[in-house]
Amino acid sequence: MSHSLLDPRAISALDSGITASSTETVPVLASFTGEVLHALPMSLPRDVTDAYARARRAQVAWARAGFAHRRRVLLRAHDLLLERRELLLDALQTETGKTRGQAFEEVFQAASVTRYNAVTARRVLSGDRRRAGIPLVVTTRVRYRPKGVAGVITPWNYPLSLAAMDVVPALAAGCGVVQKADNQGALSILALRGAFIEAGVPAALWAVVTGDGPQIGGAVTNGADYVCFTGSTATGIRVAQQAAENLTGASLELGGKNALIVLDDVDARRAAADAAYACFSSLGQLCVSTERIYVERAVAGPFLREFVAATVRLTLGATFDYSTDVGSLSTQAQLDRVEEHVADAVAHGATVLAGGRARPDLGPYFYEPTVLTGVTPAMACFAGETFGPVVRVSIVESEREAIAAANDSEFGLNASVFSGSARRGLRVAARLEAGSVNVNEGYRGSFSSVDAPMGGVKRSGLGRRNGPEGLLRFVNPVTISRATGVLQLPRTSHEFEALAGPLVLLTRVLKGLRRR
Protein backbone atom coordinates (compact mmCIF):
# COMPACT_ATOMS: atom_id res chain seq x y z
CA MET A 1 0.00 0.00 0.00
CA SER A 2 1.47 3.33 -1.04
CA HIS A 3 1.57 6.40 1.20
CA SER A 4 -1.66 8.29 1.93
CA LEU A 5 -1.93 12.04 2.54
CA LEU A 6 -4.63 11.31 5.12
CA ASP A 7 -2.34 11.49 8.16
CA PRO A 8 -3.42 12.11 11.80
CA ARG A 9 -2.92 15.86 11.49
CA ALA A 10 -5.09 16.08 8.38
CA ILE A 11 -7.76 13.89 10.00
CA SER A 12 -7.86 16.07 13.12
CA ALA A 13 -8.26 19.21 11.01
CA LEU A 14 -11.15 17.65 9.11
CA ASP A 15 -12.89 16.39 12.24
CA SER A 16 -12.90 19.94 13.61
CA GLY A 17 -15.47 20.83 10.95
CA ILE A 18 -18.18 18.70 12.61
CA THR A 19 -20.86 20.45 14.63
CA ALA A 20 -20.65 18.49 17.88
CA SER A 21 -20.79 19.62 21.51
CA SER A 22 -20.50 16.15 23.05
CA THR A 23 -17.21 14.53 24.03
CA GLU A 24 -18.50 11.20 22.75
CA THR A 25 -16.69 9.66 19.80
CA VAL A 26 -16.96 6.43 17.83
CA PRO A 27 -14.10 4.57 16.14
CA VAL A 28 -14.15 4.52 12.35
CA LEU A 29 -12.15 1.77 10.65
CA ALA A 30 -10.06 2.03 7.50
CA SER A 31 -11.57 -0.28 4.89
CA PHE A 32 -8.28 -1.57 3.50
CA THR A 33 -6.86 -2.64 6.87
CA GLY A 34 -9.69 -2.82 9.40
CA GLU A 35 -7.60 -0.67 11.75
CA VAL A 36 -8.99 2.35 13.59
CA LEU A 37 -8.72 5.34 11.29
CA HIS A 38 -9.95 7.99 13.71
CA ALA A 39 -12.30 8.69 16.61
CA LEU A 40 -15.23 10.52 15.04
CA PRO A 41 -16.99 13.18 17.17
CA MET A 42 -20.70 12.55 17.65
CA SER A 43 -23.37 15.23 17.37
CA LEU A 44 -26.39 15.54 19.64
CA PRO A 45 -29.92 16.59 18.68
CA ARG A 46 -29.24 20.01 20.20
CA ASP A 47 -26.22 20.35 17.88
CA VAL A 48 -28.54 19.80 14.92
CA THR A 49 -30.91 22.46 16.24
CA ASP A 50 -28.03 24.91 16.72
CA ALA A 51 -26.68 24.14 13.25
CA TYR A 52 -30.05 24.97 11.69
CA ALA A 53 -30.27 28.24 13.61
CA ARG A 54 -26.83 29.35 12.44
CA ALA A 55 -27.46 28.18 8.88
CA ARG A 56 -30.70 30.17 8.72
CA ARG A 57 -28.92 33.36 9.73
CA ALA A 58 -26.19 32.77 7.18
CA GLN A 59 -28.68 31.83 4.48
CA VAL A 60 -30.37 35.23 4.48
CA ALA A 61 -27.14 37.02 3.52
CA TRP A 62 -26.14 34.26 1.09
CA ALA A 63 -29.45 34.52 -0.77
CA ARG A 64 -29.24 38.32 -0.92
CA ALA A 65 -25.67 38.17 -2.26
CA GLY A 66 -27.10 37.11 -5.63
CA PHE A 67 -26.29 34.73 -8.43
CA ALA A 68 -23.08 36.43 -9.55
CA HIS A 69 -21.51 36.19 -6.10
CA ARG A 70 -22.54 32.56 -5.65
CA ARG A 71 -21.20 31.73 -9.10
CA ARG A 72 -17.78 33.18 -8.28
CA VAL A 73 -17.58 31.30 -5.00
CA LEU A 74 -18.67 27.97 -6.46
CA LEU A 75 -16.26 28.24 -9.39
CA ARG A 76 -13.42 28.89 -6.94
CA ALA A 77 -14.53 25.77 -5.07
CA HIS A 78 -14.45 23.87 -8.36
CA ASP A 79 -10.81 24.81 -8.85
CA LEU A 80 -9.90 23.92 -5.27
CA LEU A 81 -11.44 20.47 -5.67
CA LEU A 82 -9.14 19.81 -8.59
CA GLU A 83 -6.11 21.21 -6.77
CA ARG A 84 -6.83 19.05 -3.71
CA ARG A 85 -7.74 15.92 -5.62
CA GLU A 86 -4.96 13.80 -4.12
CA LEU A 87 -6.21 14.38 -0.57
CA LEU A 88 -9.79 13.77 -1.69
CA LEU A 89 -8.78 10.56 -3.43
CA ASP A 90 -6.92 9.34 -0.35
CA ALA A 91 -9.89 10.09 1.90
CA LEU A 92 -12.31 8.30 -0.42
CA GLN A 93 -10.12 5.22 -0.74
CA THR A 94 -9.38 5.00 2.97
CA GLU A 95 -13.03 5.25 4.02
CA THR A 96 -14.70 3.24 1.27
CA GLY A 97 -12.05 0.80 0.03
CA LYS A 98 -12.53 1.70 -3.65
CA THR A 99 -9.72 1.90 -6.16
CA ARG A 100 -7.91 5.08 -7.19
CA GLY A 101 -9.69 5.14 -10.53
CA GLN A 102 -13.14 4.69 -9.02
CA ALA A 103 -12.35 7.36 -6.43
CA PHE A 104 -11.34 9.66 -9.29
CA GLU A 105 -14.83 9.21 -10.76
CA GLU A 106 -16.18 10.82 -7.60
CA VAL A 107 -13.81 13.80 -7.71
CA PHE A 108 -14.62 14.31 -11.38
CA GLN A 109 -18.34 14.12 -10.63
CA ALA A 110 -18.13 16.58 -7.74
CA ALA A 111 -16.23 19.09 -9.88
CA SER A 112 -18.68 18.67 -12.77
CA VAL A 113 -21.69 19.16 -10.49
CA THR A 114 -20.13 22.27 -8.97
CA ARG A 115 -19.32 23.83 -12.33
CA TYR A 116 -22.74 23.02 -13.78
CA ASN A 117 -24.73 24.52 -10.92
CA ALA A 118 -22.49 27.57 -10.70
CA VAL A 119 -23.05 28.53 -14.34
CA THR A 120 -26.66 27.31 -14.68
CA ALA A 121 -28.41 28.61 -11.56
CA ARG A 122 -29.11 32.13 -12.88
CA ARG A 123 -30.66 30.87 -16.13
CA VAL A 124 -32.88 28.31 -14.39
CA LEU A 125 -33.86 30.31 -11.31
CA SER A 126 -33.93 33.98 -12.27
CA GLY A 127 -37.60 33.80 -13.23
CA ASP A 128 -39.44 34.83 -16.38
CA ARG A 129 -42.59 36.34 -17.81
CA ARG A 130 -45.65 34.14 -18.27
CA ARG A 131 -48.76 34.66 -20.35
CA ALA A 132 -51.35 36.53 -18.37
CA GLY A 133 -55.02 35.53 -18.27
CA ILE A 134 -55.98 38.72 -20.12
CA PRO A 135 -53.03 40.04 -22.16
CA LEU A 136 -52.24 43.75 -21.80
CA VAL A 137 -54.70 44.03 -18.92
CA VAL A 138 -52.55 41.91 -16.60
CA THR A 139 -48.83 41.06 -16.63
CA THR A 140 -47.51 37.97 -14.88
CA ARG A 141 -44.03 36.88 -13.83
CA VAL A 142 -42.69 33.91 -11.92
CA ARG A 143 -39.95 34.43 -9.37
CA TYR A 144 -38.09 31.75 -7.44
CA ARG A 145 -37.42 32.08 -3.74
CA PRO A 146 -34.93 29.83 -1.92
CA LYS A 147 -36.70 27.42 0.42
CA GLY A 148 -34.30 28.14 3.29
CA VAL A 149 -32.13 25.40 4.76
CA ALA A 150 -32.03 21.91 3.30
CA GLY A 151 -31.46 18.80 5.36
CA VAL A 152 -29.17 16.45 3.44
CA ILE A 153 -28.64 12.84 4.56
CA THR A 154 -25.94 10.97 2.65
CA PRO A 155 -24.56 7.40 2.82
CA TRP A 156 -21.02 6.07 3.03
CA ASN A 157 -20.55 4.47 -0.38
CA TYR A 158 -20.16 7.56 -2.61
CA PRO A 159 -19.73 10.33 -0.04
CA LEU A 160 -18.17 12.95 -2.30
CA SER A 161 -20.36 12.79 -5.39
CA LEU A 162 -23.63 12.12 -3.57
CA ALA A 163 -22.99 15.05 -1.23
CA ALA A 164 -22.13 17.34 -4.12
CA MET A 165 -25.25 16.41 -6.09
CA ASP A 166 -27.48 17.61 -3.23
CA VAL A 167 -25.45 20.25 -1.41
CA VAL A 168 -24.09 22.22 -4.38
CA PRO A 169 -27.45 22.91 -6.11
CA ALA A 170 -28.85 23.95 -2.74
CA LEU A 171 -26.02 26.46 -2.33
CA ALA A 172 -26.37 27.65 -5.93
CA ALA A 173 -30.09 28.25 -5.34
CA GLY A 174 -29.36 30.43 -2.31
CA CYS A 175 -30.11 27.85 0.40
CA GLY A 176 -28.16 26.72 3.44
CA VAL A 177 -27.46 23.08 4.30
CA VAL A 178 -27.33 20.91 7.39
CA GLN A 179 -25.84 17.61 6.30
CA LYS A 180 -25.85 14.36 8.23
CA ALA A 181 -22.79 12.46 7.08
CA ASP A 182 -22.53 8.72 7.52
CA ASN A 183 -19.72 7.93 9.95
CA GLN A 184 -17.81 5.92 7.35
CA GLY A 185 -17.82 8.77 4.82
CA ALA A 186 -17.48 11.80 7.08
CA LEU A 187 -13.84 12.61 6.31
CA SER A 188 -14.46 12.71 2.56
CA ILE A 189 -17.45 15.02 3.07
CA LEU A 190 -15.48 17.27 5.40
CA ALA A 191 -12.64 17.47 2.87
CA LEU A 192 -15.18 18.46 0.21
CA ARG A 193 -16.74 21.05 2.50
CA GLY A 194 -13.30 22.48 3.34
CA ALA A 195 -12.72 23.45 -0.28
CA PHE A 196 -16.05 25.28 -0.40
CA ILE A 197 -15.41 27.11 2.87
CA GLU A 198 -12.02 28.29 1.63
CA ALA A 199 -13.66 29.39 -1.62
CA GLY A 200 -16.02 31.69 0.29
CA VAL A 201 -19.01 29.66 1.42
CA PRO A 202 -19.77 30.80 5.02
CA ALA A 203 -18.91 28.00 7.44
CA ALA A 204 -22.29 28.29 9.17
CA LEU A 205 -24.11 27.96 5.84
CA TRP A 206 -23.01 24.34 5.38
CA ALA A 207 -22.99 22.44 8.66
CA VAL A 208 -22.01 18.79 8.99
CA VAL A 209 -23.34 16.63 11.82
CA THR A 210 -22.60 12.99 12.57
CA GLY A 211 -24.21 10.32 14.69
CA ASP A 212 -26.62 7.41 14.64
CA GLY A 213 -29.68 7.88 12.47
CA PRO A 214 -32.18 7.03 15.22
CA GLN A 215 -30.57 9.62 17.50
CA ILE A 216 -30.18 12.66 15.23
CA GLY A 217 -31.79 11.73 11.90
CA GLY A 218 -35.20 12.88 13.09
CA ALA A 219 -33.79 16.25 14.12
CA VAL A 220 -32.22 16.69 10.67
CA THR A 221 -35.53 15.95 8.95
CA ASN A 222 -37.66 18.01 11.35
CA GLY A 223 -35.50 21.10 11.06
CA ALA A 224 -35.33 21.15 7.28
CA ASP A 225 -37.24 23.25 4.77
CA TYR A 226 -36.50 20.52 2.22
CA VAL A 227 -35.05 17.04 2.71
CA CYS A 228 -32.62 15.13 0.48
CA PHE A 229 -32.04 11.50 1.39
CA THR A 230 -29.92 8.80 -0.23
CA GLY A 231 -30.02 5.31 1.23
CA SER A 232 -32.13 2.23 1.64
CA THR A 233 -35.78 2.08 0.65
CA ALA A 234 -36.86 1.13 4.17
CA THR A 235 -35.15 4.14 5.75
CA GLY A 236 -36.24 6.41 2.90
CA ILE A 237 -39.87 5.58 3.55
CA ARG A 238 -39.47 6.60 7.20
CA VAL A 239 -37.79 9.86 6.18
CA ALA A 240 -40.61 10.57 3.70
CA GLN A 241 -43.25 9.92 6.33
CA GLN A 242 -41.59 12.25 8.78
CA ALA A 243 -41.17 14.95 6.15
CA ALA A 244 -44.82 14.59 5.15
CA GLU A 245 -45.91 15.17 8.74
CA ASN A 246 -44.18 18.56 8.52
CA LEU A 247 -45.47 19.22 4.97
CA THR A 248 -41.83 19.34 3.90
CA GLY A 249 -40.82 18.37 0.39
CA ALA A 250 -38.29 15.60 -0.14
CA SER A 251 -36.21 13.92 -2.82
CA LEU A 252 -35.24 10.31 -2.17
CA GLU A 253 -32.76 8.14 -4.02
CA LEU A 254 -33.27 4.64 -2.69
CA GLY A 255 -32.47 1.01 -3.46
CA GLY A 256 -32.02 -0.71 -6.76
CA LYS A 257 -31.70 -4.13 -8.38
CA ASN A 258 -30.40 -2.89 -11.68
CA ALA A 259 -30.71 -4.97 -14.82
CA LEU A 260 -28.45 -5.18 -17.88
CA ILE A 261 -29.74 -6.67 -21.14
CA VAL A 262 -27.26 -8.21 -23.61
CA LEU A 263 -28.83 -8.48 -27.06
CA ASP A 264 -27.73 -11.05 -29.62
CA ASP A 265 -25.99 -8.56 -31.94
CA VAL A 266 -23.23 -7.51 -29.53
CA ASP A 267 -19.49 -7.95 -29.76
CA ALA A 268 -19.25 -10.49 -26.93
CA ARG A 269 -15.76 -9.54 -25.75
CA ARG A 270 -16.43 -5.81 -25.63
CA ALA A 271 -19.83 -6.24 -24.01
CA ALA A 272 -18.35 -8.56 -21.37
CA ALA A 273 -15.60 -6.10 -20.43
CA ASP A 274 -18.09 -3.24 -20.15
CA ALA A 275 -20.52 -5.39 -18.17
CA ALA A 276 -17.79 -6.39 -15.71
CA TYR A 277 -17.15 -2.75 -14.92
CA ALA A 278 -20.87 -2.06 -14.59
CA CYS A 279 -21.18 -4.88 -12.04
CA PHE A 280 -17.98 -4.56 -10.01
CA SER A 281 -17.03 -0.88 -9.92
CA SER A 282 -16.57 0.05 -6.25
CA LEU A 283 -17.03 -3.67 -5.67
CA GLY A 284 -20.74 -3.32 -6.39
CA GLN A 285 -21.32 -0.80 -3.60
CA LEU A 286 -23.08 1.64 -5.88
CA CYS A 287 -26.78 2.32 -6.15
CA VAL A 288 -26.71 2.22 -9.96
CA SER A 289 -24.41 -0.79 -10.45
CA THR A 290 -25.65 -3.93 -12.20
CA GLU A 291 -26.85 -6.96 -10.21
CA ARG A 292 -28.90 -8.75 -12.93
CA ILE A 293 -27.85 -9.66 -16.47
CA TYR A 294 -30.25 -11.03 -19.08
CA VAL A 295 -28.48 -12.34 -22.19
CA GLU A 296 -30.15 -13.61 -25.34
CA ARG A 297 -29.48 -17.29 -25.95
CA ALA A 298 -27.89 -16.77 -29.36
CA VAL A 299 -24.94 -14.95 -27.77
CA ALA A 300 -25.08 -16.47 -24.29
CA GLY A 301 -22.19 -18.92 -24.75
CA PRO A 302 -19.62 -16.44 -26.09
CA PHE A 303 -20.75 -13.70 -23.71
CA LEU A 304 -20.57 -15.89 -20.61
CA ARG A 305 -17.09 -17.15 -21.52
CA GLU A 306 -15.83 -13.61 -22.05
CA PHE A 307 -17.65 -12.25 -19.00
CA VAL A 308 -16.21 -14.86 -16.67
CA ALA A 309 -12.75 -14.32 -18.15
CA ALA A 310 -13.04 -10.53 -17.73
CA THR A 311 -14.19 -10.99 -14.13
CA VAL A 312 -11.36 -13.36 -13.23
CA ARG A 313 -8.79 -10.98 -14.78
CA LEU A 314 -9.76 -8.13 -12.45
CA THR A 315 -6.89 -7.21 -10.13
CA LEU A 316 -7.86 -6.90 -6.45
CA GLY A 317 -5.76 -4.90 -4.05
CA ALA A 318 -5.31 -2.10 -1.54
CA THR A 319 -3.18 0.61 -3.13
CA PHE A 320 -3.26 4.39 -3.30
CA ASP A 321 -2.33 4.36 -6.98
CA TYR A 322 -3.86 3.17 -10.25
CA SER A 323 -2.52 -0.41 -10.12
CA THR A 324 -5.74 -2.24 -9.14
CA ASP A 325 -9.10 -2.79 -10.84
CA VAL A 326 -11.25 -3.46 -7.77
CA GLY A 327 -10.77 -2.72 -4.11
CA SER A 328 -12.40 -3.72 -0.87
CA LEU A 329 -15.84 -3.73 0.63
CA SER A 330 -16.20 -0.89 3.09
CA THR A 331 -17.24 -2.59 6.33
CA GLN A 332 -17.74 -5.91 8.04
CA ALA A 333 -21.50 -5.50 7.64
CA GLN A 334 -21.09 -5.31 3.87
CA LEU A 335 -18.91 -8.41 3.83
CA ASP A 336 -21.43 -10.30 5.97
CA ARG A 337 -24.28 -9.48 3.59
CA VAL A 338 -22.33 -10.55 0.52
CA GLU A 339 -21.28 -13.82 2.13
CA GLU A 340 -24.85 -14.53 3.24
CA HIS A 341 -26.28 -13.92 -0.23
CA VAL A 342 -23.71 -16.12 -1.97
CA ALA A 343 -23.97 -18.93 0.61
CA ASP A 344 -27.76 -18.86 0.38
CA ALA A 345 -27.66 -19.02 -3.41
CA VAL A 346 -25.22 -21.92 -3.46
CA ALA A 347 -27.19 -23.81 -0.80
CA HIS A 348 -30.30 -23.55 -2.98
CA GLY A 349 -28.59 -24.76 -6.14
CA ALA A 350 -26.96 -21.78 -7.82
CA THR A 351 -23.67 -22.23 -9.68
CA VAL A 352 -20.64 -20.02 -9.07
CA LEU A 353 -18.85 -19.28 -12.36
CA ALA A 354 -16.33 -16.86 -10.89
CA GLY A 355 -15.34 -15.63 -7.43
CA GLY A 356 -17.52 -16.65 -4.53
CA ARG A 357 -15.01 -16.27 -1.72
CA ALA A 358 -13.55 -13.72 0.65
CA ARG A 359 -9.89 -12.72 0.37
CA PRO A 360 -8.59 -12.07 3.88
CA ASP A 361 -5.05 -12.36 2.50
CA LEU A 362 -5.60 -8.95 0.88
CA GLY A 363 -7.51 -7.29 3.71
CA PRO A 364 -10.36 -7.91 6.12
CA TYR A 365 -13.22 -6.93 3.79
CA PHE A 366 -12.04 -8.12 0.38
CA TYR A 367 -14.35 -10.37 -1.61
CA GLU A 368 -13.85 -11.66 -5.12
CA PRO A 369 -16.17 -10.42 -7.88
CA THR A 370 -18.75 -13.18 -8.19
CA VAL A 371 -20.82 -14.44 -11.12
CA LEU A 372 -23.81 -16.71 -10.43
CA THR A 373 -26.09 -18.68 -12.68
CA GLY A 374 -29.13 -20.76 -11.85
CA VAL A 375 -30.46 -18.19 -9.39
CA THR A 376 -34.14 -18.72 -8.55
CA PRO A 377 -36.79 -16.67 -6.70
CA ALA A 378 -36.16 -18.78 -3.62
CA MET A 379 -32.74 -17.15 -3.18
CA ALA A 380 -32.12 -13.87 -1.32
CA CYS A 381 -30.06 -12.42 -4.16
CA PHE A 382 -32.78 -12.98 -6.77
CA ALA A 383 -34.83 -9.87 -5.98
CA GLY A 384 -33.12 -8.35 -2.94
CA GLU A 385 -30.31 -5.84 -3.33
CA THR A 386 -26.92 -7.34 -2.45
CA PHE A 387 -24.98 -4.08 -2.76
CA GLY A 388 -21.76 -5.96 -3.34
CA PRO A 389 -19.73 -7.79 -6.02
CA VAL A 390 -22.39 -10.34 -6.93
CA VAL A 391 -24.26 -10.57 -10.23
CA ARG A 392 -26.64 -13.21 -11.50
CA VAL A 393 -26.76 -14.07 -15.19
CA SER A 394 -29.91 -15.47 -16.81
CA ILE A 395 -30.40 -16.67 -20.39
CA VAL A 396 -33.53 -15.45 -22.20
CA GLU A 397 -35.04 -16.51 -25.50
CA SER A 398 -35.90 -13.12 -26.93
CA GLU A 399 -35.66 -9.37 -26.63
CA ARG A 400 -39.25 -9.27 -25.38
CA GLU A 401 -38.49 -11.76 -22.60
CA ALA A 402 -35.42 -9.76 -21.58
CA ILE A 403 -37.46 -6.55 -21.28
CA ALA A 404 -40.18 -8.26 -19.26
CA ALA A 405 -37.63 -9.82 -16.89
CA ALA A 406 -35.76 -6.53 -16.43
CA ASN A 407 -39.01 -4.73 -15.58
CA ASP A 408 -40.14 -7.48 -13.20
CA SER A 409 -38.79 -5.76 -10.07
CA GLU A 410 -40.06 -3.52 -7.32
CA PHE A 411 -37.08 -1.27 -8.07
CA GLY A 412 -36.40 1.03 -11.01
CA LEU A 413 -33.25 3.07 -10.52
CA ASN A 414 -30.91 2.26 -13.42
CA ALA A 415 -30.86 -0.15 -16.36
CA SER A 416 -28.58 -0.91 -19.28
CA VAL A 417 -28.86 -2.31 -22.81
CA PHE A 418 -25.93 -3.62 -24.83
CA SER A 419 -26.49 -3.89 -28.57
CA GLY A 420 -24.52 -3.70 -31.80
CA SER A 421 -27.23 -1.41 -33.18
CA ALA A 422 -27.74 2.06 -31.72
CA ARG A 423 -31.31 2.14 -33.02
CA ARG A 424 -32.16 -1.21 -31.46
CA GLY A 425 -30.49 -0.33 -28.19
CA LEU A 426 -32.43 2.93 -27.90
CA ARG A 427 -35.69 1.21 -28.81
CA VAL A 428 -35.24 -1.35 -26.02
CA ALA A 429 -34.09 1.37 -23.60
CA ALA A 430 -37.37 3.23 -24.13
CA ARG A 431 -39.29 0.21 -22.82
CA LEU A 432 -37.37 -0.21 -19.57
CA GLU A 433 -38.89 0.98 -16.30
CA ALA A 434 -36.05 2.90 -14.69
CA GLY A 435 -35.15 6.47 -13.90
CA SER A 436 -32.02 6.23 -16.05
CA VAL A 437 -31.11 3.86 -18.87
CA ASN A 438 -27.70 3.47 -20.51
CA VAL A 439 -27.01 2.01 -23.93
CA ASN A 440 -23.66 0.22 -24.31
CA GLU A 441 -22.54 1.50 -20.92
CA GLY A 442 -23.40 0.39 -17.41
CA TYR A 443 -24.08 3.59 -15.49
CA ARG A 444 -21.48 6.23 -16.22
CA GLY A 445 -23.27 7.77 -19.20
CA SER A 446 -26.30 8.90 -17.21
CA PHE A 447 -24.43 9.30 -13.91
CA SER A 448 -21.98 11.79 -15.42
CA SER A 449 -24.63 13.72 -17.37
CA VAL A 450 -25.14 16.37 -14.70
CA ASP A 451 -27.41 18.42 -17.01
CA ALA A 452 -29.93 15.55 -16.96
CA PRO A 453 -32.12 14.45 -14.05
CA MET A 454 -31.20 11.39 -12.00
CA GLY A 455 -33.54 9.40 -9.77
CA GLY A 456 -35.69 6.31 -9.50
CA VAL A 457 -39.17 5.01 -10.16
CA LYS A 458 -41.21 2.47 -8.19
CA ARG A 459 -39.50 1.79 -4.84
CA SER A 460 -36.24 3.34 -5.98
CA GLY A 461 -37.21 6.82 -4.95
CA LEU A 462 -38.98 10.13 -5.47
CA GLY A 463 -37.82 13.31 -7.12
CA ARG A 464 -34.69 14.01 -9.12
CA ARG A 465 -31.20 15.36 -8.58
CA ASN A 466 -29.01 16.98 -11.27
CA GLY A 467 -30.11 19.11 -14.20
CA PRO A 468 -32.58 22.00 -13.91
CA GLU A 469 -34.83 19.65 -11.94
CA GLY A 470 -32.12 19.32 -9.29
CA LEU A 471 -31.96 23.09 -8.85
CA LEU A 472 -35.72 23.61 -8.82
CA ARG A 473 -36.00 21.32 -5.77
CA PHE A 474 -34.59 24.06 -3.59
CA VAL A 475 -36.85 26.98 -4.53
CA ASN A 476 -40.49 27.90 -4.22
CA PRO A 477 -42.03 29.45 -7.33
CA VAL A 478 -43.86 32.69 -6.63
CA THR A 479 -46.32 34.06 -9.20
CA ILE A 480 -46.53 37.87 -9.29
CA SER A 481 -49.28 39.47 -11.37
CA ARG A 482 -49.97 43.19 -11.90
CA ALA A 483 -53.03 44.94 -13.22
CA THR A 484 -51.80 47.45 -15.84
CA GLY A 485 -54.80 49.77 -15.70
CA VAL A 486 -55.40 49.50 -19.48
CA LEU A 487 -58.83 48.07 -18.71
CA GLN A 488 -60.64 47.74 -15.42
CA LEU A 489 -61.49 44.13 -14.61
CA PRO A 490 -65.19 43.64 -13.79
CA ARG A 491 -66.26 44.03 -10.19
CA THR A 492 -70.04 44.36 -10.38
CA SER A 493 -72.78 42.44 -12.18
CA HIS A 494 -73.23 45.28 -14.70
CA GLU A 495 -69.50 45.35 -15.47
CA PHE A 496 -69.49 41.56 -15.99
CA GLU A 497 -72.48 41.88 -18.33
CA ALA A 498 -70.67 44.50 -20.39
CA LEU A 499 -67.40 42.58 -20.66
CA ALA A 500 -68.66 38.99 -21.02
CA GLY A 501 -69.01 39.25 -24.79
CA PRO A 502 -65.59 40.84 -25.44
CA LEU A 503 -63.91 38.25 -23.17
CA VAL A 504 -65.53 35.36 -25.03
CA LEU A 505 -64.35 36.91 -28.30
CA LEU A 506 -60.83 37.22 -26.84
CA THR A 507 -60.68 33.54 -25.97
CA ARG A 508 -61.74 32.61 -29.52
CA VAL A 509 -59.14 34.92 -31.05
CA LEU A 510 -56.41 33.48 -28.83
CA LYS A 511 -57.39 29.95 -29.87
CA GLY A 512 -57.31 30.94 -33.51
CA LEU A 513 -53.83 32.43 -33.07
CA ARG A 514 -52.74 29.21 -31.29
CA ARG A 515 -51.92 31.25 -28.22
CA ARG A 516 -51.82 29.59 -24.84
Side-chain angles (χ1 to χ4, degrees):
M1 187 185 302
S2 58
H3 176 68
S4 169
L5 297 175
L6 202 64
D7 57 27
R9 181 178 300 178
I11 291 173
S12 178
L14 293 174
D15 278 344
S16 66
I18 298 171
T19 302
S21 60
S22 170
T23 58
E24 180 186 359
T25 62
V26 297
V28 176
L29 306 184
S31 295
F32 282 155
T33 65
E35 298 173 350
V36 175
L37 175 63
H38 66 133
L40 182 70
M42 290 287 96
S43 305
L44 299 172
R46 68 169 179 266
D47 296 320
V48 178
T49 301
D50 291 345
Y52 271 113
R54 289 193 293 271
R56 291 192 195 288
R57 291 192 291 271
Q59 185 269 329
V60 173
W62 178 252
R64 289 175 178 170
F67 289 112
H69 173 73
R70 295 196 291 272
R71 174 187 172 120
R72 286 192 297 271
V73 171
L74 294 180
L75 289 179
R76 283 199 295 269
H78 168 276
D79 294 344
L80 287 173
L81 291 180
L82 299 180
E83 290 175 16
R84 299 178 180 183
R85 64 186 181 276
E86 296 302 322
L87 174 62
L88 292 168
L89 292 171
D90 285 353
L92 284 165
Q93 286 195 266
T94 303
E95 289 188 309
T96 66
K98 63 184 63 179
T99 66
R100 198 72 168 178
Q102 288 145 20
F104 180 81
E105 284 188 354
E106 284 213 60
V107 175
F108 180 85
Q109 181 80 352
S112 298
V113 166
T114 301
R115 185 180 64 256
Y116 173 81
N117 285 285
V119 303
T120 305
R122 180 192 290 273
R123 175 178 62 81
V124 174
L125 302 179
S126 60
D128 56 5
R129 294 187 65 177
R130 302 293 177 91
R131 192 192 71 79
I134 307 177
L136 301 179
V137 178
V138 175
T139 64
T140 299
R141 296 190 64 89
V142 173
R143 301 287 189 187
Y144 293 102
R145 181 174 298 148
K147 288 184 176 178
V149 179
V152 175
I153 303 172
T154 48
W156 48 267
N157 61 318
Y158 266 64
L160 209 66
S161 52
L162 292 176
M165 286 191 283
D166 285 336
V167 172
V168 177
L171 296 176
C175 291
V177 172
V178 173
Q179 180 181 8
K180 182 196 175 298
D182 187 277
N183 296 352
Q184 193 67 37
L187 290 177
S188 298
I189 288 169
L190 291 165
L192 174 73
R193 175 181 178 270
F196 281 77
I197 301 308
E198 184 169 327
V201 172
L205 189 71
W206 179 1
V208 173
V209 294
T210 54
D212 292 333
Q215 183 176 15
I216 69 166
V220 174
T221 301
N222 282 334
D225 300 306
Y226 187 83
V227 179
C228 305
F229 173 83
T230 307
S232 71
T233 297
T235 303
I237 290 172
R238 293 196 294 271
V239 170
Q241 290 171 338
Q242 187 174 358
E245 290 177 357
N246 299 325
L247 293 180
T248 301
S251 58
L252 314 168
E253 187 187 300
L254 308 178
K257 190 70 176 178
N258 306 303
L260 186 156
I261 293 175
V262 181
L263 300 176
D264 57 12
D265 58 357
V266 298
D267 177 318
R269 176 171 295 184
R270 180 174 181 177
D274 289 338
Y277 192 88
C279 298
F280 304 125
S281 175
S282 293
L283 219 56
Q285 298 171 119
L286 172 60
C287 54
V288 291
S289 65
T290 297
E291 293 196 11
R292 300 180 287 149
I293 296 178
Y294 300 100
V295 54
E296 285 196 279
R297 184 173 295 280
V299 76
F303 173 81
L304 269 173
R305 285 194 297 273
E306 295 290 347
F307 184 56
V308 169
T311 300
V312 171
R313 282 196 302 267
L314 294 173
T315 303
L316 285 76
T319 65
F320 288 92
D321 55 33
Y322 293 92
S323 61
T324 56
D325 299 317
V326 288
S328 169
L329 291 165
S330 297
T331 64
Q332 183 65 47
Q334 289 303 110
L335 177 62
D336 291 344
R337 182 174 180 84
V338 170
E339 290 186 317
E340 289 168 5
H341 271 209
V342 173
D344 171 75
V346 171
H348 287 85
T351 300
V352 178
L353 297 186
R357 64 191 180 109
R359 291 293 302 275
D361 55 310
L362 299 175
Y365 312 133
F366 278 83
Y367 197 92
E368 291 180 343
T370 300
V371 179
L372 300 176
T373 59
V375 174
T376 68
M379 304 172 191
C381 68
F382 181 85
E385 186 177 26
T386 303
F387 214 67
V390 180
V391 61
R392 62 177 176 92
V393 182
S394 303
I395 298 173
V396 294
E397 301 299 331
S398 66
E399 174 187 304
R400 177 174 295 183
E401 183 183 345
I403 294 169
N407 289 339
D408 185 19
S409 173
E410 65 178 350
F411 298 112
L413 188 57
N414 183 54
S416 309
V417 183
F418 285 12
S419 174
S421 164
R423 177 176 294 181
R424 186 183 182 195
L426 292 170
R427 174 171 53 77
V428 172
R431 296 178 61 188
L432 296 178
E433 298 169 357
S436 59
V437 184
N438 291 267
V439 178
N440 293 332
E441 169 54 40
Y443 66 86
R444 289 180 292 183
S446 58
F447 191 75
S448 64
S449 299
V450 296
D451 190 30
M454 174 186 175
V457 299
K458 298 190 270 191
R459 291 175 68 84
S460 286
L462 295 172
R464 294 294 185 267
R465 52 162 53 113
N466 288 348
E469 295 85 350
L471 277 161
L472 288 166
R473 291 180 293 169
F474 299 104
V475 294
N476 287 317
V478 179
T479 299
I480 302 174
S481 291
R482 179 180 66 87
T484 63
V486 171
L487 178 69
Q488 177 62 57
L489 292 173
R491 297 161 297 189
T492 67
S493 58
H494 295 297
E495 290 173 346
F496 271 104
E497 182 179 16
L499 285 176
L503 290 176
V504 169
L505 176 62
L506 174 63
T507 62
R508 289 174 173 164
V509 169
L510 292 174
K511 177 190 174 185
L513 295 174
R514 299 296 191 268
R515 293 291 300 274
R516 293 176 296 168

